[in-house]
Amino acid sequence: MASLSKPGAPRFDVDVFQNEYLAQGAREVNAIVTVTATGGGTSGGRPLGASAPGPGAAVVLVIDCSGSMEHPNTKMRHAREATAAAIDTLRDGVAFAVVAGTHEAVDVFPGNGRLAVVGQYTRGHAKEALRRLSPSGGTAIGTWISKARQLFDSHPEASIRHAVLLTDGRNEHEKPADLQRALDAATGAFTADCRGVGTDWDVAELRKVSSALLGTVDIVAEPSGLADDFRAMMAAAMGKQVADVALRVWTPANAQVKFVKQVAPAVEDLTARRTPAGTRAGDYPTGSWGDESRDYHVCVEVPAAAVGNEMLAARISLVLPQPDGTAEVLGQGLVRAVWTDDLASSTRINSQVAHYTGQAELAESIRDGMAAHRAGDLDRATAKLGTAVRLAHAGGNEGTLKLLQKVVDVVDAREGTVRFRKNVSAADSMTLETRSTKTVRVKK
């Protein structure tokens, strides 16, 4: 365990779990890196790196106001109530805005291209603006994201920048390339939690947005559940105190990183998001932090060596980039490789690595199974979801197992023998797919 945080600042601890022993000639080193932040979220304190007290957070609430939000007619009402609940959850002094999203994006509050500051007066006026929202027009999510970015840009002093994006439909009124351009421009500018209400939106499309913006994605099948969900999202956002933290991986000469994945609390592949950070080092974004713990799977390929050799395979650091191009190191851990001819040592898979490898395979099996089912390939769908049931059972992921049981009848969980259920609801299918990447921590 290593923590290098300054006194009075949030503390970051980095723990590395691995089996460092490799057989002669072996080249792949796997490690689970657990990062734990304490004292920086719900326990209070100003953002790490902030030069002076003041509004340290900014929030933009993006609400789908397209024509489909009037079917049923209670959907828009619940969306307005949920947004009001989120505004009530914001702490005084936070900067915020509300955006109405259709085939365009309009900042309906405060409405001047800037952000307001939360207080009794602004809360009341924001709720008045919500009452004037009515469904009309289409859906162009890229324009919503661009509007949120512009609003955040108007308030550069905010260190925590978080958006909530609610939609009930697919991105039908702009080209995929337009959405991608908006995401490219917004990546690193703010984080975003995405919610789909009902069952007429696209899971993969909304996950693409949440992944790019380092947030969460979930389904709220019944509009009546929006208010509680919005309160929870805002409470989590208000607990964030450290932004733009990166996982820095340094490897020695002739070694290279094969992949870096967040594996808890959800699976998120960060490999392609590496940015250079000096000689033989790269940074992988982790977003904003409060009081929480996350796990990352780091896989490094090293040069093969003879029995008795050992090397530092990787140095893992949690860093906070500074305006002058340097980086403050918040915590650090080491990944080692030792070559041995002891078969028992070299073939033993670390329990943390084994657990999260199974959890990642579980998420992939669900994704592939649901895709096969949509394509009409029932045999492949059954096989993939059978594998998912087996992995969920073995990994102790009871939440995912319960979701799977709404889609398939489980004959034998241990063996992964299942049958597709008849008349599966769209809500159950989408809930399974949306929450497929959520993992459970390894049992101690």
Side-chain angles (χ1 to χ4, degrees), residues 46-53:
R46 65 183 176 88
L48 187 65
S51 58

Side-chain angles (χ1 to χ4, degrees), residues 152-416:
F152 284 122
D153 287 346
S154 75
H155 201 83
E157 57 268 38
S159 58
I160 303 294
R161 302 168 301 278
H162 190 75
V164 168
L165 188 153
L166 173 71
T167 187
D168 77 329
R170 294 173 173 82
N171 196 42
E172 295 177 336
H173 293 85
E174 67 181 1
K175 297 177 181 178
D178 296 329
L179 174 58
Q180 187 59 58
R181 276 192 294 271
L183 288 174
D184 290 343
T187 297
F190 61 94
T191 58
D193 289 327
C194 300
R195 293 296 183 266
V197 59
T199 58
D200 292 328
W201 52 282
D202 187 274
V203 175
E205 190 171 71
L206 209 55
R207 191 187 302 283
K208 178 180 181 179
V209 176
S210 68
S211 294
L213 301 179
L214 296 175
T216 63
V217 61
D218 206 350
I219 181 174
V220 184
E222 295 298 328
S224 59
L226 283 172
D228 286 342
D229 190 66
F230 270 45
R231 286 191 194 95
M233 282 192 288
M234 281 301 93
M238 291 299 92
K240 304 295 185 183
Q241 287 288 338
V242 187
D244 304 325
V245 175
L247 196 72
R248 178 166 294 177
V249 182
W250 172 92
T251 52
N254 300 320
Q256 63 179 358
V257 177
K258 292 190 68 175
F259 63 77
V260 174
K261 299 177 183 178
Q262 178 185 287
V263 289
V267 177
E268 190 68 60
D269 194 341
L270 303 175
T271 310
R273 303 190 64 171
R274 175 187 174 107
T275 57
T279 306
R280 298 195 300 275
D283 284 353
Y284 301 85
T286 68
S288 303
W289 288 75
D291 288 337
E292 59 189 295
S293 181
R294 305 179 199 169
D295 292 338
Y296 298 88
H297 186 173
V298 178
C299 180
V300 178
E301 188 174 84
V302 298
V307 169
N309 285 15
E310 61 179 88
M311 67 177 291
L312 176 63
R315 182 187 300 113
I316 313 293
S317 306
L318 204 69
V319 301
L320 183 66
Q322 302 297 305
D324 62 2
T326 62
E328 181 178 346
V329 179
L330 309 176
Q332 196 170 91
L334 304 177
V335 179
R336 299 173 63 239
V338 180
W339 282 267
T340 179
D341 56 4
D342 181 356
L343 188 63
S345 296
S346 64
T347 57
R348 185 176 63 248
I349 301 176
N350 176 269
S351 60
Q352 300 257 0
V353 173
H355 174 80
Y356 286 122
T357 299
Q359 294 282 291
E361 186 183 354
L362 166 60
E364 185 177 358
S365 296
I366 292 173
R367 184 190 64 211
D368 291 348
M370 297 309 292
H373 188 250
R374 285 194 298 273
D377 189 344
L378 188 59
D379 288 342
R380 177 174 171 80
T382 303
K384 286 293 182 180
L385 293 189
T387 298
V389 165
R390 175 176 58 78
L391 292 168
H393 173 76
N397 197 329
E398 293 297 327
T400 299
L401 188 57
K402 289 179 181 178
L403 294 178
L404 282 161
Q405 288 171 333
K406 293 183 178 181
V407 176
V408 296
D409 289 319
V410 178
V411 179
D412 188 329
R414 184 183 297 273
E415 296 297 325

Side-chain angles (χ1 to χ4, degrees), residues 40-42 57-59 86 89-92 94-95 118 160 162 232-241:
T42 54
V59 171
T89 309
L90 295 173
R91 63 174 180 264
D92 286 351
V94 169
V118 175
I160 303 294
H162 190 75
M233 282 192 288
M234 281 301 93
M238 291 299 92
K240 304 295 185 183
Q241 287 288 338

